[in-house]
Amino acid sequence: MGKKRILVIDDEENIRILYKENLEDEGYEVILASCAEEANTKMKESYPDLVTLDIKMPEMDGIEFLRKLRESDKNIPVVMCSAYGVYKQDFRVWASDAYVVKSSDMRELKSTIKEILKRKKDLK
Amino acid sequence: MKTVRSKTYSISKRLKIPQNIHENYWLGILNEVSRITSLTLELDKRLKLIVEVIVQQTGADACSVLLMDEEKKNLILKATKGLNPMSIDKIRLKVGEGITGWTAQEKKVVALSDASKDPHFIYFPGSEEERFKSVLSVPILENNKCMGVIYTQTFNERDYTENDIKLLTTIANHVSWMIKNSMLYDKAVRRLSELSILYEISVAMQTTVNLDKILRMILGCVTAGDIFGFNRAALFLVNENTKSIQGMLGLGPDSGEEAGEIWSRIPKIKDLSQWLISQGDILAKEESQFDKFIKGIDIPITAGSGVLALTILEGKPFNIKDARNDSRVNRNLIDKLGVNSFATVPIITRNQVVGIIAVDNLYTNKPITDEDLQTLVRFSTYVGWAIENSRLFSKLRDANKEILLFQQQLIQSERLAALGELAAELAHEIKNPLVTIGGFARRLLEKGNLMSEERKYSDIIINEVERLEKLLKDILNYSRDIRPKFSENDINTLIEEVLSFHGRVFNESGIEIKKELSGEIHPIHIDLPQIRQVITNLFYNAVESMIGKGGIISVKTEPLSGEEGVTISISDTGGGIPSEILNNIFNPFFTTKKDGTGLGLSLSRKIVESHGGKIEINNRIGEGATFIINLPWKNRQEQKPD
């Protein structure tokens, strides 16, 4: 079985690079998108196994993107990543699989992704 | 002497002229007299002109007018032609005394060809009356009341005819009319001047609401020569709290010389308001001995404590004419003030006596008349109004101050709210770069090929970023609307859960936990994560206070006394909170910890209060601190989860 592919969607370039390096170290293949539109293209091109999704983004925000995504794909795991913890209470993010408050300590994100992918594998 | 005789002669010759000419001559005199009576001169001057006309035209060698004094007891010489003019205002005659006194008393005409033979006859030394032989004395009547006497005298003996008597009686009627008008006019002038004084006073008083200034102006009026002209005045106010009369201000010179100097400075009515305003501005450093004495006065309002107290109790003026022999007077006070007569007037506002004006004439010894007192009573109404005004103003000003303070607090809290929002915004903007900085610092460390110095630096970056991230998290939590989302929970279970979750921390710090959880506590409505945060915070504070020395944390729950709910107490043995910081511990950003954000306790309080509860501290310096949380079973303002 090949590497799991993760799509990182975030409007901040440095965050994307940080996530990419960290997740590649974990053994994932990482593709990047800086906005919802680019993310749509990447989704169609490369069929990721999991998406990390920033909430506050210009034009279409993460919550809206999630709603659109769920219309076409109900199963792809999505991890919401935000500097804010408040969106946890927004019922619209409940359509995601996890919610991680951004931190320089990437351990929570990594363990969350690992957990979700494992769960998905177990279900199969 | 010769001229006088020839004059007498010429007049007696005139008396023999025929009737029709005689009538013309009469008309001439009366015409002249009535012309004089209607002149706009002072009464005394007109009387002088009249006596001159009479002497010139009736063949009398002298003519004089005496008027009744205010008390209707004495006749005073007001005008004369023929008697020594120096005796004007000096000759005083009791009613009934002498021929003129008898005229006044009996209201009858007296015609004597030889006055010295009359049993009533007396003459005044210095008046040169002894030179005269005959006298015709006529009462000046008004409504059958005697207002004075007019009389003529001749050197030679003369038999007065009916016509002589008629003529002088007619003139006396003119004079009576003139006196009456003059009195009315005087009254009108006095009233007018009183009105313009009151106007000037009100103009002056309206320039300020400062009670001290107003009191100075009031007493300035009372002592100003043109207004009331009292030598000294004092103002007292009632202190409702102590039920006593307190001296507020005394105005008046300390000596006769000073008095003369001060009175020469007092201006005419038209400059009065300006002068009064300047009086209000006189500084307290210029206070006189008298002022100091007055300000030291504090008398209980009881019937036995003197005239001041009586003025308050009875609400009426007192005119004390012989203080030393007046049992109502407080002797001690009078001796110190050095006066034997004085007057007091109550200051009344809204049917309540609020103070007293007291006056005396220590230096001039002028008696205080009832009329003086009446004017002062009228004036005191304005005084009451001015004092009331000033007091209302200061009440208003106090209320206004309070409102301003509230407003400032409101603005402050609005500012804090705005600041909170700004902080949240800022925190978010900082968060992303911070994640990147810290994240890459960690990457550096993870690469594992760093020199020891680079490793140390990376560690520092990572730790500092972590600190900032923690601060941001707290700020975001603090400024966020923390409206609780309620659900029914068991507090004891929550405490057990928090204790077991952090059990390792307690063990490592050498802290023993003592639990005393009541079995009588019903589940209560709380926002579980928020209350969990509060309890966790308090446990951590307790641990912090005992770092390095160990100790005991006691946690206790019991039913909330008085209403349904729970009281949670968490005590430590960490020595308590230093008193100098006790007041600050609930303030946001206040911290004594090296890496604390200072938001823990303030956030805890915010959460407890949003539950309708309260958090208190029982601090025992040297022993420890107990935080007590009272939570009601259900918050009255509970909001439905949204």
Side-chain angles (χ1 to χ4, degrees), chain A residues 12 14-15 17-19 21-22 25 56 82-86 89 101-107 110, chain B residues 424-425 428-429 431-440 442-443 446-447 462 465-466 469 476 480 485:
Chain A
E12 294 231 3
N14 290 333
I15 295 280
I17 295 169
L18 180 69
Y19 279 24
E21 290 201 3
N22 271 284
D25 281 3
K56 274 194 101 178
S82 174
Y84 276 125
V86 280
Q89 276 115 10
V101 177
K102 278 183 190 173
S103 164
S104 62
D105 185 344
M106 302 290 287
R107 282 178 293 180
K110 287 175 189 168
Chain B
E425 194 68 25
H428 181 255
E429 290 303 315
K431 188 78 183 265
N432 276 328
L434 210 53
V435 167
T436 318
I437 294 165
F440 283 106
R442 282 171 200 272
R443 298 284 305 150
E446 282 162 12
K447 290 284 175 193
I462 290 165
V465 166
E466 232 171 46
E469 281 185 305
L476 286 172
R480 221 176 70 211
K485 292 176 175 58

Side-chain angles (χ1 to χ4, degrees), chain B residues 121-155:
Chain B
F121 180 79
I122 52 166
Y123 68 84
F124 293 94
S127 67
E128 299 164 13
E129 270 192 312
E130 62 279 12
R131 298 178 290 145
F132 301 101
K133 189 87 178 167
S134 304
V135 63
L136 174 60
S137 178
V138 174
I140 302 167
L141 298 175
E142 154 69 20
N143 274 339
N144 205 32
K145 269 188 258 168
C146 180
M147 305 174 87
V149 176
I150 183 165
Y151 67 103
T152 56
Q153 289 160 303
T154 51
F155 296 121

Side-chain angles (χ1 to χ4, degrees), chain B residues 221-253:
Chain B
C221 293
V222 175
T223 52
D226 247 13
I227 314 173
F228 298 105
F230 292 108
N231 290 180
R232 298 192 300 185
L235 206 144
F236 302 86
L237 289 179
V238 171
N239 184 331
E240 281 298 335
N241 297 327
T242 58
K243 297 280 172 223
S244 66
I245 307 162
Q246 284 173 347
M248 300 302 291
L249 184 66
L251 208 65

Side-chain angles (χ1 to χ4, degrees), chain B residues 259-275:
Chain B
E261 203 253 329
I262 287 176
W263 292 332
S264 66
R265 277 189 277 157
I266 292 169
K268 294 284 167 216
I269 289 170
K270 65 179 168 61
D271 307 317
L272 188 65
S273 57
Q274 283 312 311
W275 178 77

Side-chain angles (χ1 to χ4, degrees), chain A residues 57-118:
Chain A
M57 289 191 296
E59 293 169 30
M60 189 189 291
D61 70 20
I63 291 172
E64 183 62 13
F65 181 82
L66 178 67
R67 195 180 64 78
K68 289 248 165 87
L69 181 65
R70 282 289 176 246
E71 281 171 9
S72 56
D73 189 336
K74 289 206 166 42
N75 295 319
I76 184 163
V78 175
V79 177
M80 305 303 287
C81 292
S82 174
Y84 276 125
V86 280
Y87 293 114
K88 265 185 199 172
Q89 276 115 10
D90 189 325
F91 72 93
R92 293 173 301 172
V93 309
W94 298 349
S96 69
D97 296 83
Y99 188 106
V100 174
V101 177
K102 278 183 190 173
S103 164
S104 62
D105 185 344
M106 302 290 287
R107 282 178 293 180
E108 191 190 353
L109 180 66
K110 287 175 189 168
S111 64
T112 305
I113 290 172
K114 206 173 179 179
E115 175 74 17
I116 289 168
L117 289 175
K118 186 172 170 277

Side-chain angles (χ1 to χ4, degrees), chain B residues 56-235:
Chain B
Q56 275 170 26
Q57 311 236 350
T58 66
D61 296 309
C63 178
S64 306
V65 176
L66 293 113
L67 293 184
M68 201 76 97
D69 70 359
E70 278 173 20
E71 288 167 353
K72 308 276 177 210
K73 282 180 184 160
N74 295 299
L75 289 163
I76 300 162
L77 182 69
K78 281 293 173 188
T80 184
K81 175 74 179 172
L83 297 190
N84 184 350
M86 295 303 286
S87 48
I88 286 179
D89 279 336
K90 292 214 174 68
I91 288 185
R92 281 172 176 265
L93 204 60
K94 282 200 182 101
V95 172
E97 190 183 6
I99 292 162
T100 38
W102 191 86
T103 309
Q105 184 178 286
E106 299 299 317
K107 296 169 203 162
K108 280 178 183 160
V109 177
V110 181
L112 299 168
S113 49
D114 190 351
S116 60
K117 285 184 184 153
D118 189 88
H120 294 292
F121 180 79
I122 52 166
Y123 68 84
F124 293 94
S127 67
E128 299 164 13
E129 270 192 312
E130 62 279 12
R131 298 178 290 145
F132 301 101
K133 189 87 178 167
S134 304
V135 63
L136 174 60
S137 178
V138 174
I140 302 167
L141 298 175
E142 154 69 20
N143 274 339
N144 205 32
K145 269 188 258 168
C146 180
M147 305 174 87
V149 176
I150 183 165
Y151 67 103
T152 56
Q153 289 160 303
T154 51
F155 296 121
N156 297 324
E157 191 166 323
R158 173 167 171 182
D159 289 322
Y160 292 101
T161 65
E162 203 173 317
N163 276 339
D164 293 335
I165 294 167
K166 265 189 191 164
L167 177 62
L168 199 60
T169 307
T170 312
I171 291 173
N173 284 340
H174 276 273
V175 172
S176 154
W177 175 83
M178 182 175 80
I179 293 168
K180 191 179 135 200
N181 276 326
S182 174
M183 275 164 60
L184 287 174
Y185 177 76
D186 276 359
K187 230 180 200 169
V189 166
R190 202 176 307 143
R191 190 92 189 103
L192 191 69
S193 102
E194 198 180 288
L195 279 177
S196 37
I197 286 166
L198 289 177
Y199 169 75
E200 292 285 327
I201 290 168
S202 77
V203 165
M205 283 187 187
Q206 276 166 29
T207 61
T208 181
V209 284
N210 178 315
L211 188 61
D212 268 359
K213 282 191 182 186
I214 286 175
L215 298 186
R216 276 186 184 280
M217 286 184 192
I218 289 165
L219 293 196
C221 293
V222 175
T223 52
D226 247 13
I227 314 173
F228 298 105
F230 292 108
N231 290 180
R232 298 192 300 185
L235 206 144

